Amino acid sequence: LQGEFRFIFILHPIEHRPRIDGKRDWGQYLQEQCQQRGITFLAPDEAFEPSLVACDVMLTDHTSLALYGAMLRKPLVFVPVPEDAIEKDGLIWQLKEMSLVIKQDASDLRDCLLNAMNSPPSDALEDLCKEINSYPGEARDRLRKEIYGLLGISAKQGHTKTP
């Protein structure tokens, strides 16, 4: 799909720490795999916010980046994760329930990405965004303003939909 999409891989910073138990160093391994495939891999000291703002769709798992994506109204596509990895009825669980989930073999990845990009945010997502932090009804707008502010642009300038 690289001829059609550009991928940016963001890995939780904890996965970049060297392992003393001899197990795989996921940060190093995935960085090498991404480099071999021409995928941009963010180093643990690189800010992830510009990548989130720039993306058209997020392929995500059960981690907090999905919450940032939701607050920025980015379409989400989830990868399959074990059921017990997500707290039932929690925010991530609710986001996953209203988003597309790719098949285990990712054979439908392209279709899911395109479908997500071409679907407007649902009313359910808008309602959920209001519950993500301690400013009921204001969370999405406050977070968007802060992230765009960090980038030196206004939220109104940054809110464009790329075809």
Side-chain angles (χ1 to χ4, degrees), residues 61-79:
D61 61 1
H62 58 293
T63 55
S64 61
L65 278 180
L67 297 174
Y68 286 94
M71 294 298 288
L72 291 168
R73 283 201 232 150
K74 299 297 180 176
L76 302 174
V77 175
F78 279 80
V79 298

Side-chain angles (χ1 to χ4, degrees), residues 87-104:
E87 177 185 352
K88 186 167 172 47
D89 297 324
L91 292 172
I92 298 292
W93 183 86
Q94 292 178 59
L95 280 174
K96 186 178 175 198
E97 288 294 305
M98 64 180 72
S99 301
L100 297 169
V101 179
I102 64 169
K103 294 178 182 177
Q104 191 70 36

Side-chain angles (χ1 to χ4, degrees), residues 148-159:
Y148 285 122
L150 289 171
L151 297 171
I153 58 176
S154 75
K156 289 182 182 180
Q157 287 174 312
H159 187 66

Side-chain angles (χ1 to χ4, degrees), residues 52-68:
L52 293 184
V53 169
C55 77
D56 293 318
V57 63
M58 286 181 61
L59 179 63
T60 188
D61 61 1
H62 58 293
T63 55
S64 61
L65 278 180
L67 297 174
Y68 286 94

Side-chain angles (χ1 to χ4, degrees), residues 118-146:
N118 293 315
S119 299
S122 68
D123 290 340
L125 177 62
E126 294 295 324
D127 291 342
L128 184 63
C129 285
K130 294 175 186 174
E131 304 303 320
I132 289 181
N133 77 12
S134 60
Y135 294 97
E138 300 176 35
R140 182 192 65 231
D141 293 332
R142 284 174 169 260
L143 186 57
R144 183 182 304 122
K145 181 180 175 187
E146 291 301 317

